Amino acid sequence: MVVALLCTKPFQALGQAQSKAFGVPDLPLVLIPHPLGGISVQDVAGRADHALTEIARIIKEAAR
């Protein structure tokens, strides 16, 4: 199983701290630009495209 945390850049430190607190300090973080609220559907799609690229990279690395 491959797991990653998806979050926006301002929440990176929180995501890292929580992953350590829950015993998974090496949990991959997929960072997307902030904010998600109040933006166009096209901008959300762009962020999703970026996230999918990173998630695919994480899955490929885990398969090695």
Side-chain angles (χ1 to χ4, degrees):
M1 177 185 335
V2 178
V3 179
L5 173 64
L6 178 68
C7 64
T8 60
K9 185 78 173 158
F11 295 99
Q12 179 178 4
L14 177 61
Q16 290 169 330
Q18 289 298 302
S19 67
K20 289 177 187 171
F22 284 102
V24 285
D26 296 327
L27 180 69
L29 297 180
V30 176
L31 299 174
I32 58 173
H34 191 81
L36 283 177
I39 63 174
S40 70
V41 172
Q42 292 81 13
D43 287 340
V44 172
R47 285 164 168 76
D49 287 342
H50 170 76
L52 287 172
T53 299
E54 289 298 304
I55 292 166
R57 181 187 58 77
I58 291 166
I59 291 170
K60 286 177 185 175
E61 285 181 6
R64 292 181 190 172

